[in-house]
Amino acid sequence: MKREEFYHRLSDVPPVPDSLYSRIEKKIRRNRTVTSLMLALAASLIITVGITSYTIYQTNEQISSSSRVSSEEIIDELQTLNEFVNGNSLDDEMEMYTLVNANYF
Amino acid sequence: MKELDEITIKLAAKGKLQAFRKVYDHYSNFVWKVVYRTVNGDEDSAQLIMQNVFIKVYNDLKSFKFHSSFSTWLYRITYNETMAYLKKLRRRQKKECPFVETINKSRENDPLENKEMVSAILHTLSAADRFLLIAREVNNIPFEDLADITGKSSGALRTMLHRIKESIRKGFDYETGRVLSQAV
């Protein structure tokens, strides 16, 4: 074999097998199906998590609104507490009772 | 090589299998030659690499922006897939190619047939050297493109190819078909 012939023979290879493309296409289709399934699964998971979170949030809202104390009540309570702590309330009451008793007797 | 039209490549990038079939038909011979010779005629390995190459081409076509020729882009994938396959094979079997044994045995004494001779000569080269030799001598890929594909400078590749040819010339008697020394 001559040197030139060697380089010529390098390109002398058997033809590409006929079945090769069908195998490639089969793998591509399988990969596409798997990808679609994964995406569908991920989407349903996201939707499920979203719906569940919303439902939980709504339930919590309902519970808290039913047990919620109005701000006016809180202000009244705080006012009463403030007067009691500072002693204003006690003095006023003592005074009021003294006056009532004086008139009575 | 004559490139396939841009419209077909863009359709294939959109996932159209008919267009992808055209891409395969146009380039499969081109890829097959280099893969088949790089694995030194192991058809099973060559088929597995071809599958990996074209599946990767299908998956990555969207990222191809036509900055280089399609064949260069395809050649880069072929190079990477071939080298990755051989690396995996080497790691698994602790030797480069399983088909080498038969060639070694047959070439010890008798002059080789032309077909065997090509395999025996190629066997003396590393996979990367075989790839370079086929890319240049068979597929006529320009050195600049090969530099882009392999990540080496075109000057270095020219030197490598010269060294490969020298080692083939010194290591083999073309007339008698006998291996003179273990080249490279």
Side-chain angles (χ1 to χ4, degrees):
Chain A
M1 185 171 72
K2 293 266 184 273
R3 190 169 175 267
E4 293 73 30
E5 202 186 337
F6 166 72
Y7 286 101
H8 175 72
R9 279 188 175 274
L10 277 180
S11 63
D12 190 16
V13 298
V16 183
D18 291 334
S19 60
L20 193 58
Y21 181 76
S22 58
R23 266 180 282 158
I24 291 170
E25 195 181 306
K26 209 169 151 184
K27 277 196 174 182
I28 287 171
R29 284 185 191 280
R30 199 183 58 197
N31 289 353
R32 279 209 308 206
T33 312
V34 170
T35 311
S36 307
L37 276 173
M38 295 296 277
L39 281 175
L41 199 73
S44 17
L45 198 73
I46 289 166
I47 290 167
T48 312
V49 168
I51 290 171
T52 312
S53 310
Y54 182 74
T55 315
I56 291 169
Y57 174 77
Q58 286 288 85
T59 315
N60 285 348
E61 271 294 294
Q62 278 171 6
I63 292 168
S64 63
S65 68
S66 64
S67 61
R68 193 179 291 154
V69 183
S70 77
S71 55
E72 283 169 10
E73 272 180 68
I74 294 169
I75 289 167
D76 278 352
E77 284 299 317
L78 282 173
Q79 184 65 34
T80 312
L81 200 66
N82 181 42
E83 284 170 357
F84 182 76
V85 169
N86 293 330
N88 296 340
S89 175
L90 194 65
D91 289 343
D92 288 349
E93 276 183 31
M94 292 267 288
E95 199 176 319
M96 195 182 78
Y97 279 117
T98 313
L99 286 170
V100 167
N101 284 342
N103 289 337
Y104 186 75
F105 292 108
Chain B
M1 93 169 287
K2 194 177 177 289
E3 298 288 345
L4 193 64
D5 62 289
E6 211 174 300
I7 298 166
T8 310
I9 294 172
K10 280 181 177 169
L11 278 173
K14 282 180 184 170
K16 306 279 179 207
L17 279 172
Q18 259 186 326
F20 181 71
R21 176 76 207 233
K22 284 183 188 169
V23 173
Y24 174 84
D25 287 343
H26 192 83
Y27 292 101
S28 57
N29 255 324
F30 173 74
V31 176
W32 176 253
K33 274 180 191 170
V34 72
V35 170
Y36 184 86
R37 283 299 182 204
T38 306
V39 296
N40 209 2
D42 178 18
E43 208 163 320
D44 291 339
S45 295
Q47 287 192 35
L48 280 173
I49 295 168
M50 282 282 281
Q51 279 186 44
N52 295 345
V53 167
F54 279 95
I55 289 168
K56 190 154 181 62
V57 166
Y58 181 83
N59 291 336
D60 292 0
L61 253 178
K62 279 177 204 150
S63 68
F64 178 61
K65 303 289 179 213
F66 294 92
H67 295 317
S68 64
S69 67
F70 183 78
S71 54
T72 306
W73 184 76
L74 176 63
Y75 229 79
R76 189 181 300 123
I77 293 177
T78 308
Y79 178 79
N80 291 338
E81 287 297 321
T82 309
M83 293 308 144
Y85 177 86
L86 289 175
K87 201 174 167 185
K88 212 187 286 176
L89 196 73
R90 230 181 351 246
R91 210 180 299 140
R92 204 167 52 217
Q93 299 181 342
K94 302 277 182 193
K95 55 182 157 181
E96 197 174 36
C97 307
F99 42 85
V100 159
E101 289 303 310
T102 53
I103 296 164
N104 281 341
K105 277 173 197 163
S106 67
R107 70 181 190 167
E108 276 168 3
N109 301 311
D110 306 323
L112 302 171
E113 293 293 316
N114 284 347
K115 204 176 163 185
E116 286 177 321
M117 197 167 165
V118 172
S119 289
I121 294 170
L122 288 177
H123 169 63
T124 62
L125 307 173
S126 70
D129 286 352
R130 282 197 294 266
F131 191 94
L132 177 63
L133 186 72
I134 308 304
R136 270 303 299 160
E137 298 299 318
V138 178
N139 286 344
N140 296 316
I141 305 289
F143 276 112
E144 288 69 30
D145 289 356
L146 280 171
D148 192 27
I149 291 161
T150 58
K152 294 184 173 90
S153 73
S154 59
L157 289 172
R158 275 173 215 275
T159 313
M160 268 177 78
L161 190 66
H162 178 74
R163 178 181 54 78
I164 292 165
K165 285 183 172 179
E166 270 300 294
S167 77
I168 290 172
R169 194 179 60 77
K170 284 179 187 166
F172 221 84
D173 186 347
Y174 290 100
E175 298 304 322
T176 59
R178 285 194 170 90
V179 178
L180 300 174
S181 64
Q182 190 73 23
V184 185

